[in-house]
Structures are given as structure tokens and as C-alpha cells.
Amino acid sequence: MSRGTQSLIGATVRQLRNAKGMSLQQLADSSGVSVGMISQIERDLANPSMRVLTAIRRALNVSIQEMFGEQPDEAPEQGDPPFVRRLKDRPQIDLGLLKKELLTASGHHHLQIMILRVEPGGVSGNTALSYPAEKGGLVLSGELTLTVGEQTSTLRTGDSFVFDSALPHSFKNVSQSTAEILWIIGAVQFDRHL
């Protein structure tokens, strides 16, 4: 892979859980994700949905950068200011039919920017996500079906969206081609200090 590093999510989850001194059971209790599922994720036997990954991230109280395998205060390339992330340094997570590429520079931010690549049949999970934040994005290519609350819309190349992610929400790609989405999350500040 020419850009960044591809994170094996299992090893990252295990390392973060161990660093927090949490057992599988404690993480399961805090996240609402079963011990068996967490164990499978940690052994790279299962690809977690967006919902599961978010629940685990929130239970571990870590930034999205840390889920991509970065250290919290990892320095940017020599000579670059801390607000820059170079193309070649974008970390990626492969969740099977969903791939995430982090665009946000290293460090602690309340705004996260990434590119989601959703393969045909890819979904955010079987249960809608819901947590305090604002989300928005732009369909760079392809087609994505987005549901927020009780409303559903099919978005195509060039379409954009913004919504309150405290509302249950999910997405799926029912088309025959890969959808590429610029995905932006503006986290509510207290989210990181629970």
C-alpha cells in the first residue's frame, strides 16, 4: 500500500484495552459489545461494524487517531506544522466492505475528517449509531443510502449532508460500485472526557 499504514484493528484494540488495564469482560460491560465479539475482533477473526468500533472506542475513551494505531501525541513529519497530514502518512483501517482513511492531523481534535470507502453491500452495522456529535460529508464518488432518524435518502456523487448524530443513523451501499465519502465528525467536547 503506497499511502500511510494499514492498521490491523484487532491488534490495536487489544493494545489499547491492555494499556487501560481492562479485561475483555470489563470492555464488554463498558461498550455493550459481547466478550466473544471483542475476542474475535482482537484476533482479526471478525471485522467490526462502525457501530461496534465506535462503542469500543468510546468505552476505551480514546481518540479516533488512536484507533488508527497512532500514538496520542505522535509528531508530524519533520518540518511540518502539527496541523498537517501528508498524503503518504494517512493511516487506514480495513473493516472488510468498509475502509477508513484518516485525514485529520495527529493530536487531539474535536473535528475528525476521513475518507470512507464503502464497497457494494457495505453497511455501518445492523444497529443504528447514536452519540453526541455532528456529522457531515460529501459523496466523492458512487452512491450511499443514509438513514437519519426515520428518514432515508440516497446520495450520489456531489451530494452532501449534515446531521445531529445523537439521532440514530446508519448507511449502506446498495449500488454495484464502491462509494467514496468525505466523512466529517464534529465531536461534542465532553465526549473525550467521560
Side-chain angles (χ1 to χ4, degrees):
M1 179 167 298
S2 60
R3 286 187 301 202
T5 58
Q6 179 125 2
S7 174
L8 291 175
I9 194 66
T12 301
V13 169
R14 182 182 305 110
Q15 184 273 324
L16 291 170
R17 178 179 60 77
N18 288 335
K20 297 284 184 178
M22 295 177 83
S23 68
L24 281 170
Q25 186 63 58
Q26 289 170 320
L27 181 55
D29 292 344
S30 295
S31 66
V33 177
S34 74
V35 170
M37 175 57 84
I38 294 170
S39 176
Q40 287 182 9
I41 291 167
E42 286 190 355
R43 293 179 291 139
D44 290 313
L45 299 176
N47 285 322
S49 67
M50 288 273 289
R51 182 194 68 78
V52 168
L53 194 60
T54 299
I56 290 171
R57 181 187 69 78
R58 290 171 58 83
L60 291 169
N61 193 28
V62 296
S63 70
I64 196 139
Q65 284 94 338
E66 290 170 272
M67 291 300 285
F68 277 87
E70 288 190 339
Q71 298 304 311
D73 296 313
E74 196 168 295
E77 186 174 298
Q78 189 170 353
D80 278 334
F83 56 83
V84 172
R85 176 170 307 274
R86 299 289 177 189
L87 174 66
K88 67 181 180 61
D89 296 325
R90 291 182 189 165
Q92 299 175 32
I93 295 177
D94 185 341
L95 302 173
L97 296 178
L98 172 64
K99 294 168 183 55
K100 299 168 90 173
E101 182 176 346
L102 187 64
L103 304 179
T104 309
S106 295
H108 295 289
H109 305 284
H110 299 293
L111 185 66
Q112 301 298 327
I113 305 170
M114 61 188 80
I115 294 175
L116 301 184
R117 287 181 186 83
V118 188
E119 299 294 329
V123 298
S124 56
N126 294 329
T127 305
L129 296 165
S130 176
Y131 59 92
E134 285 192 314
K135 292 186 178 177
L138 171 69
V139 179
L140 300 172
S141 64
E143 191 174 292
L144 190 77
T145 300
L146 176 65
T147 300
V148 178
E150 299 295 318
Q151 298 180 311
T152 298
S153 182
T154 298
L155 304 164
R156 294 176 181 82
T157 303
D159 293 342
S160 59
F161 56 90
V162 174
F163 61 91
D164 178 351
S165 74
L167 296 170
H169 57 281
S170 62
F171 62 78
K172 59 186 172 182
N173 180 354
V174 296
S175 75
Q176 298 301 309
S177 62
T178 301
E180 191 170 70
I181 317 300
L182 178 65
W183 192 263
I184 302 165
I185 304 170
V188 173
Q189 191 166 355
F190 71 82
D191 179 48
R192 296 191 33 91
H193 303 288
L194 294 175

